[in-house]
Amino acid sequence: MLPSSSYQPNYFSIEDILATQERTPCKFLQDVPRMGKLNPSAEEKDLKVGTELELPLWLVLDGAAGRQLILAPELPKIYREAYREILKADATAIDLHKFNLYFYELGSYIKHFDRRGDVHNILLHTFTTRFRLIMDLANNADSDPTIQNKLDTLERRLFKDGHNARMKLNTWLLESGIPLKAASMVDNHRKRKRVNEELV
Amino acid sequence: MDPDEVEFLGEKSMIEIVPTFNSAPIYFIGGDVGPFRASIPLRVPLWVAVHLKQQQQCKIIPPDWMDLEKLENLKEEEKSNRSFIKMPSEHYIVEAKLILGCAADDIPRTDEIRTIIKDIWDIRKSKLRSSMDQMIKKSAMYAAVDNLTLMEINSIRPLLPHALEQIYRIKSNKRAILNRTQGSVTTPSNATGSFTN
């Protein structure tokens, strides 16, 4: 059973297309003839060296590749130092959906613009710290359905898969005439006592 | 895997019954069952037992471990132990559900047994959850899953494997562009490792 979230970008992947249309700031290293139209603030026919523009990522990727570099990409603001600090402080508190719909997808492109690997580390850090959040959500999603709005697309898919599996298991546990259940007294506690706090 | 598929696998485990009828052996692809002699106990696959029980043609003798005292001990041990302890049966949850579901009258103190098995299940699930979280947080390379039963392993699918796969993607996502921006022509493999860790 191949997992549905085994996602590898390819030419026709809608998600990849959507992720790569994010505006990415970049600076031109060469004059580009007849491309003045890309710069809406200038009337000239050619793009001058040193122009700073925000272009979609798919264009930037090609411009920043090859033997002759046409432009130098910069990090979009959500991957810059200030935002990285926020993520480092507490990644679980963040509305990643507002940051970017494709935080991780975009991040894995963007991180190549960052030589020091900070972006790479923050992606990993964000994912690993938020995993608990996703897992807990998937296990008890009925408590607050709006909370999944804080997840980015990739996390949301993980959540959905996890949630479906969880629901199946719950139905299975309940479907026999006499379900396996915890003592009613335990259920009546608003919160179940942890068995042994440091063990579990 | 669906829980139902796990149940199907669990139904193959053997259980002792006391039939109330006589019959020649029944030949199945998976093996022969019988012969049945009234009130002579014999071992049959769980699914046969459940089927016969539903037709009121046998009494199910609960497995040794389905005993309140033993389960109490098991629960205490599970509580005090940091790792998972060995369960008496690879499919304890399936067996418990099926047997308690259809043969409640053959087992003394069904309600208490049902409750305690659910407690054990819950304790193990919460252990499983915290160890999953730790594993992801520490980016551990592997985890020992000794003594986990099939249903428990199945309960963390597909979340854990998918999450690990995404971590792998984040870690290994080196594209050829990296080399190209450096202006040198290198094989993609040369680029890996520069950012990891």
Side-chain angles (χ1 to χ4, degrees), chain B residues 110-127:
Chain B
T110 345
D111 284 336
E112 285 154 87
I113 288 182
R114 184 174 294 134
T115 306
I116 203 164
I117 290 179
K118 181 67 162 86
D119 284 349
I120 294 176
W121 166 262
D122 283 348
I123 296 169
R124 288 168 71 89
K125 285 280 290 200
S126 88
K127 269 191 202 173

Side-chain angles (χ1 to χ4, degrees), chain A residues 3 5-7 64 67 105 108-109 111-112 115 128 132 139 166 168 172 178-179 192 195 199, chain B residues 2 4 7 79 97 114-115 122 125 129 133 136 162 165-166 169-170 173 175 177 181 185 195:
Chain A
S5 72
S6 140
Y7 163 80
R67 290 289 171 91
E105 293 310 324
S108 13
Y109 281 106
K111 71 181 183 187
H112 300 302
R115 282 291 147 73
T128 48
R132 175 90 195 207
N139 284 347
R166 176 73 192 182
K168 270 187 201 159
W172 181 82
I178 314 154
R192 291 187 68 171
V195 184
L199 281 181
Chain B
D2 260 17
D4 295 319
E7 182 184 279
K79 265 192 210 170
K97 190 193 143 189
R114 184 174 294 134
T115 306
D122 283 348
K125 285 280 290 200
R129 270 189 26 207
D133 181 44
I136 296 276
H162 284 194
E165 196 185 335
Q166 295 300 346
R169 273 194 62 217
I170 293 174
N173 207 337
R175 273 159 227 243
I177 184 168
T181 47
V185 186
F195 285 155

Side-chain angles (χ1 to χ4, degrees), chain B residues 15-23 33-44 52 57-61:
Chain B
I15 187 170
E16 205 160 351
I17 60 165
V18 181
T20 56
F21 63 102
N22 294 319
S23 163
V33 174
F36 300 91
R37 292 272 165 274
S39 69
I40 308 277
L42 81 161
R43 293 179 74 77
V44 296
L52 290 175
Q57 296 200 318
C58 75
K59 257 185 72 164
I60 290 182
I61 298 174

Side-chain angles (χ1 to χ4, degrees), chain A residues 39-91:
Chain A
N39 185 358
S41 61
E43 294 275 306
E44 293 147 5
K45 224 176 157 194
D46 302 341
L47 260 181
K48 289 275 176 309
V49 62
T51 320
E52 289 186 22
L53 276 183
E54 282 195 341
L55 295 176
L57 181 65
W58 52 266
L59 192 57
V60 174
L61 282 175
D62 276 326
R67 290 289 171 91
Q68 259 193 330
L69 299 184
I70 300 167
L71 43 81
E74 280 160 36
L75 296 178
K77 70 173 196 279
I78 52 164
Y79 299 101
R80 289 209 191 128
E81 182 80 35
Y83 279 77
R84 290 206 298 263
E85 287 304 320
I86 303 177
L87 283 168
K88 255 182 224 163
D90 186 5

